[in-house]
Amino acid sequence: AELVDEEGTSIEATFWREAADTYHETLEEGKVYTFSRGSVKVANKVYNRTRNDYCLNFDTSCSVQESADVIDASVMQTRLKFEKIDQLPVFVDKKAPIDVIGVVTSVGATGSIKRKSDQQEVVRREVTLADESLKTVSLTLWGEKAESDGEKLSAMLEAGQHPVLAVSSCRVGSYNGVTLSTSMRSNVMIDPDVSEALELKTWYETTGATSTMSAVGEGLAAAKAANSAQKRYFNLAEIEAKAPDSEDAKPFYATVNALVASINPDQKMYYLACAENNRKVEEQGPGEFFCEYDGKTYPTAVRRYVANARVMDSSGMINASLFDEQANIVFGKTADRLHELREEAADMYKTALNKATWQEWSFRVKAFASVWENNLRKKYAVIDAKPINFVAETRRVLAALNDM
């Protein structure tokens, strides 16, 4: 849940186990509550969806009471911090949302795409924003925002108006360099009563409308592709050297040809998951698997890999995580099948793991940093695994030699 106080400071709160069951139904958006006996922790910026450096955690010992005082909840609105459009590349592909404000220069027609999770059609509409930095950015409005707000913006442009649009909790993506997208938490405000809106409107009416502007993502996508093509392959020593040393730093991605040197047979290896959403479930009895994520009980579950392996090449060795899709490729069998072997045929289980070692693969590796108990650790995850195409690999090596 996202909480906000009377000063406009927002913070993310997580309720665990029984507390989640207790307060999921009782908490109502827009009401004022007193929260006590929670704990404060440093926020993990990878997952935190507010801009607060801290987060709250509540377990079974917490207390949440609706405020008995008469409080105007309308004043408890998240304080917006608008980012200039030319600064958006800094936030590309980060989890933390941003707030943006700009003059609407164009509105596209409505379209729709199929949502992967349920194959439902979702309406979308592209809106172009500009500000005093003389940069523009494409913002995608989704669902009701695309239909109602998008239609209103389109009508205003047709009438010769150029409204100011403020949007909270936007995601910044890397498509075409830099793009914005609304989220479920986004609030869309047309010509809001804030000083930034008045300044933008004055700027656009005086000089902005006739100024030459360029897209903030212009050239970034091409540069990213060029850099990637220039050196797609790294060795493990280079990946370790380039791994970020800060939790807030962007992960480093690289492709490496390496082999699995060893797999600890005693590790947990997999977890029980809901077949519908892949979230972790707890077995509560025969044919009863409880999913804490959605609070539902399912009749069946599947096992999904979350394994660790020692990966090596001629330059060094790292400990890397293998998730379900990649582990299925490397192990050559599903987690359910490996579990059967582990429970019923220990020798065959160890043989299966041994067969997965000393095989060379083309791995796409993500190197990132995380904090655990105030200790910073560099971590590595295999996000793609493919058999090596030796014909293509020979051509790549020859091309690299020719460039020397």
Side-chain angles (χ1 to χ4, degrees):
E2 183 178 343
L3 311 180
V4 62
D5 63 15
E6 59 187 1
E7 295 182 355
T9 303
S10 62
I11 191 169
E12 189 166 89
T14 302
F15 293 82
W16 297 96
R17 301 178 179 84
E18 289 85 353
D21 296 333
T22 302
Y23 296 111
H24 180 265
E25 299 296 333
T26 57
L27 290 177
E28 294 183 34
E29 186 174 338
K31 287 191 174 182
V32 180
Y33 298 87
T34 300
F35 299 83
S36 57
R37 296 198 293 275
S39 61
V40 181
K41 294 186 177 181
V42 175
N44 185 334
K45 294 301 180 68
V46 175
Y47 301 105
N48 192 286
R49 297 188 180 277
T50 70
R51 304 183 73 171
N52 204 309
D53 292 331
Y54 300 91
C55 63
L56 299 175
N57 284 274
F58 296 101
D59 56 22
T60 52
S61 65
C62 75
S63 174
V64 180
Q65 300 291 330
E66 186 173 351
S67 177
D69 300 328
V70 179
I71 299 175
D72 182 9
S74 65
V75 302
M76 293 185 172
Q77 300 292 327
T78 301
R79 185 171 60 249
L80 301 182
K81 181 183 177 183
F82 297 118
E83 302 294 343
K84 293 291 185 183
I85 292 177
D86 64 347
Q87 297 301 308
L88 294 182
V90 176
F91 303 94
V92 168
D93 291 335
K94 291 188 176 180
K95 290 286 184 181
I98 63 108
D99 309 319
V100 69
I101 188 169
V103 178
V104 178
T105 60
S106 69
V107 179
T110 56
S112 64
I113 64 170
K114 278 190 176 181
R115 191 161 48 201
K116 288 183 179 180
S117 59
D118 55 12
Q119 296 299 302
Q120 292 293 315
E121 294 281 345
V122 183
V123 179
R124 57 177 290 173
R125 190 193 288 258
E126 303 291 331
V127 175
T128 302
L129 302 179
D131 69 7
E132 302 101 317
S133 66
L134 300 183
K135 294 292 183 181
T136 64
V137 67
S138 177
L139 165 71
T140 303
L141 302 176
W142 294 96
E144 179 63 24
K145 298 178 180 69
E147 294 181 293
S148 59
D149 296 314
E151 194 61 38
K152 184 176 180 180
L153 291 170
S154 180
M156 293 177 77
L157 254 66
E158 288 181 4
Q161 304 175 48
H162 284 274
V164 172
L165 185 69
V167 187
S168 64
S169 298
C170 289
R171 295 189 297 266
V172 186
S174 57
Y175 182 72
N176 283 339
V178 180
T179 52
L180 294 174
S181 179
T182 57
S183 65
M184 291 182 64
R185 296 183 180 184
S186 294
N187 186 22
V188 176
M189 296 157 279
I190 300 174
D191 284 332
D193 186 17
V194 295
S195 59
E196 293 92 341
L198 179 60
E199 291 169 5
L200 276 170
K201 195 170 274 289
T202 302
W203 161 76
Y204 193 79
E205 290 174 352
T206 54
T207 61
T210 57
S211 298
T212 301
M213 303 188 202
S214 61
V216 66
E218 189 174 296
L220 292 182
K224 186 176 180 180
N227 290 337
S228 176
Q230 186 176 5
K231 189 171 184 183
R232 282 187 55 213
Y233 285 78
F234 293 77
N235 60 40
L236 291 177
E238 291 173 316
I239 293 174
E240 284 190 285
K242 291 180 177 291
D245 53 11
S246 166
E247 192 177 26
D248 294 332
K250 292 179 67 174
F252 175 72
Y253 296 88
T255 300
V256 59
N257 291 334
L259 53 83
V260 176
S262 64
I263 304 164
N264 181 2
D266 299 323
Q267 65 179 293
K268 194 170 182 179
M269 198 73 75
Y270 38 72
Y271 66 96
L272 274 174
C274 169
E276 294 186 14
N277 59 28
N278 295 329
R279 299 282 182 165
K280 185 178 180 180
V281 297
E282 296 289 342
E283 187 172 7
Q284 298 186 325
E288 293 185 358
F289 299 91
F290 177 72
C291 177
E292 189 174 283
Y293 173 74
D294 58 15
K296 296 180 181 179
T297 299
Y298 294 88
T300 60
V302 296
R303 288 176 177 81
R304 291 178 61 84
Y305 284 112
V306 57
N308 289 299
R310 297 279 282 173
V311 175
M312 68 175 293
D313 67 2
S314 60
S315 71
M317 184 181 297
I318 61 171
N319 287 315
S321 300
L322 292 168
F323 298 103
D324 195 62
E325 182 180 348
Q326 295 74 38
N328 267 291
I329 295 171
V330 172
F331 295 147
K333 49 181 56 62
T334 65
D336 281 323
R337 176 55 182 155
L338 196 66
H339 174 73
E340 290 176 7
L341 296 178
R342 191 176 199 169
E343 295 296 310
E344 301 170 7
D347 290 342
M348 294 180 66
Y349 167 70
K350 291 183 178 180
T351 299
L353 295 185
N354 288 335
K355 284 185 65 176
T357 60
W358 303 108
Q359 301 290 325
E360 195 170 11
W361 299 88
S362 177
F363 288 135
R364 185 70 175 167
V365 175
K366 173 185 176 182
F368 59 102
S370 69
V371 175
W372 175 255
E373 296 183 346
N374 294 323
N375 293 318
L376 183 73
R377 297 187 299 176
K378 293 185 177 183
K379 303 184 74 174
Y380 307 91
V382 174
I383 60 173
D384 191 23
K386 297 178 181 177
I388 293 179
N389 182 330
F390 289 101
V391 173
E393 178 65 9
T394 300
R395 289 172 179 164
R396 183 187 70 82
V397 173
L398 289 173
L401 291 171
N402 289 332
D403 289 339
M404 287 183 174

